[in-house]
Amino acid sequence: MNSWQSPIAPGISWYQATIGERPAYPALDGSGTVDVAIVGGGFTGLQAAYNLAKSGVSVALIEACRLGDGASGRNGGQMGTGQRAWPEELEQKIGYERSKALFDMAEDAKRHLLDFATAHGIDIDYMPGQMNVAHKPGYEKEYQANAEIAAERYGYPHLSFMDARETAERVGSKSYYCGVRDTGTGHIHPLKLLVGLARVANEAGAQLHEMTQATAIRRASGKVMIDTPNGTLTADRALIATNAYIGNLEPVTAAHVMPIGSFIAATAPLDDFPDVLPGGEAVADSRFVVRYFRKSRDNRLLFGGREVYSSRNPQDTADAIRRQIVETYPALKDVEVTHAWGGNVGITMPRQPFVREVMPGVTSIGGYSGHGVILSNYCGKLYADMVGGKATDLDLLEALDVPAFPGGRHLRTPLLFLALTWFALRDRL
């Protein structure tokens, strides 16, 4: 088993345990000059590195830990349709034309991910189907309208409303009151995609450096300088793709993208429980502190939820997630939890991606707010297209109104903690 313990995220994930040893990439060894420097080795950074390198741009990517130690390699694997908010919600805020353009962009992102994996022979354990379900009564009209609007106004015919009976049958639980089934998307093994993406980027000529932390980003003599303990990268342009792990590296990104803990547990194979997700779809529920779960290709339940506990003890994580599993599936009270892990998800105030030039020549992209599997991969590609002078949909995201979190540097984290505590309590009540 791959026993690497990430220094930035607790627990060894089921994903890590099922891929063998991850390929290692050398740390940066001395200063160098490239056309584009990238900070962050998740989906956004690696897609940008691959697409830049294949177009002949010299590019170096640095990652503070191992590639995949952040959210890209440890997330729930769900390929949600559209943006984080339903299109009709966005339409109320930004109008139909922009909402439709963002929805279409997300569909392009979905196709890009699947086409990329197929073209490069990356087995990502793709399984079709996803369901959004309501944990409280009274959502029926809203959910039914969502399916109708998607088909009639957004050209997406793959949603269907589920009443309480159908929801219970498809989820295998009576915990939910209704839902929407999406047959136009699915879920994946994210770490398999990331490992394959890194391989492809490396083969294209991108310089990939693990265990190399950026300590400062600055401008000097018309260039971008990225300092590390191992040397300084000098570039014409730079991409910050750290998402939730920005820390104190760059203040504008840190003010707009906040980390919250996300925790997942995997059970032993559910061969004796055929009623649990019999169709194999993934599920996300209507809680503000979303619970999301799905079955793996080998029939395990992967169950995740964001809470305001912050323990780095995998056993505490397992116990907390087990309680949520049993609330949803009482019959699984004695099923073994074999893996438990966590990490940080980058969120923004409006739950929309943050795309901005934070200093001359330096673009920051992140804040996918739990909806990053498809968007992060596509945003990396769009960044590379932009550097190459192409018109891209990245402008759609850059035009979004994504304000900074209130409270300034010292208060925004405790204020977010209080807000999440309140919403978690409201979900329970």
Side-chain angles (χ1 to χ4, degrees), residues 56-80:
V57 175
S58 64
V59 56
L61 178 151
I62 58 173
E63 163 59 46
C65 300
R66 297 288 307 279
L67 301 179
D69 275 3
S72 293
R74 300 170 71 86
N75 63 75
Q78 298 195 26
M79 297 171 57

Side-chain angles (χ1 to χ4, degrees), residues 54-322:
K54 77 170 185 176
S55 65
V57 175
S58 64
V59 56
L61 178 151
I62 58 173
E63 163 59 46
C65 300
R66 297 288 307 279
L67 301 179
D69 275 3
S72 293
R74 300 170 71 86
N75 63 75
Q78 298 195 26
M79 297 171 57
T81 292
Q83 303 290 325
R84 176 67 171 77
W86 285 355
E88 56 267 36
E89 295 177 46
L90 279 180
E91 188 175 330
Q92 292 176 2
K93 298 176 181 178
I94 62 176
Y96 171 74
E97 184 176 337
R98 290 177 66 195
S99 177
K100 177 67 162 59
L102 285 165
F103 186 89
D104 291 345
M105 188 200 86
E107 280 300 286
D108 291 340
K110 189 189 298 180
R111 285 188 290 271
H112 167 261
L113 188 156
L114 296 175
D115 290 347
F116 178 87
T118 299
H120 296 285
I122 305 171
D123 180 8
I124 58 175
D125 286 7
Y126 178 77
M127 297 175 65
Q130 200 259 355
M131 296 183 286
N132 291 305
V133 296
H135 78 292
K136 293 180 179 180
Y139 284 90
E140 289 83 1
K141 289 184 179 179
E142 181 180 345
Y143 276 57
Q144 193 160 11
N146 174 240
E148 294 170 354
I149 290 169
E152 295 171 5
R153 293 180 58 77
Y154 288 84
Y156 190 78
H158 307 293
L159 301 186
S160 59
F161 174 73
M162 304 183 298
D163 61 15
R165 179 192 60 78
E166 183 179 358
T167 300
E169 290 177 354
R170 292 195 182 278
V171 177
S173 168
K174 296 181 180 179
S175 299
Y176 297 104
Y177 293 88
C178 66
V180 173
R181 184 179 180 224
D182 187 348
T183 59
T185 192
H187 48 101
I188 67 169
H189 188 305
L191 191 53
K192 284 188 174 182
L193 174 60
L194 187 130
V195 168
L197 173 54
R199 169 183 59 82
V200 171
N202 183 61
E203 291 172 352
Q207 303 172 39
L208 306 182
H209 299 291
E210 296 181 317
M211 309 308 293
T212 303
Q213 183 169 4
T215 56
I217 299 179
R218 55 194 172 86
R219 286 195 59 89
S221 302
K223 298 286 186 179
V224 180
M225 317 289 285
I226 300 178
D227 297 324
T228 83
N230 307 340
T232 296
L233 282 176
T234 301
D236 296 323
R237 294 173 177 260
L239 170 65
I240 297 174
T242 55
N243 201 20
Y245 294 93
I246 183 63
N248 295 321
L249 179 63
E250 195 286 308
V252 177
T253 306
H256 290 79
V257 179
M258 288 284 289
I260 63 169
S262 185
F263 300 84
I264 305 177
T267 71
L270 301 182
D271 298 335
D272 295 331
F273 299 92
D275 292 339
V276 174
L277 296 174
E281 297 98 340
V283 177
D285 75 12
S286 59
R287 289 175 170 86
F288 182 88
V289 184
V290 178
R291 294 184 184 180
Y292 52 96
F293 47 97
R294 64 192 184 92
K295 284 204 292 191
S296 62
R297 185 179 284 180
D298 66 350
N299 208 32
R300 298 170 186 267
L301 182 67
L302 308 184
F303 196 105
R306 292 198 296 272
E307 287 286 358
V308 290
Y309 54 81
S310 58
S311 171
R312 295 184 63 85
N313 184 331
Q315 186 56 55
D316 291 346
T317 298
D319 292 343
I321 296 295
R322 175 185 285 282

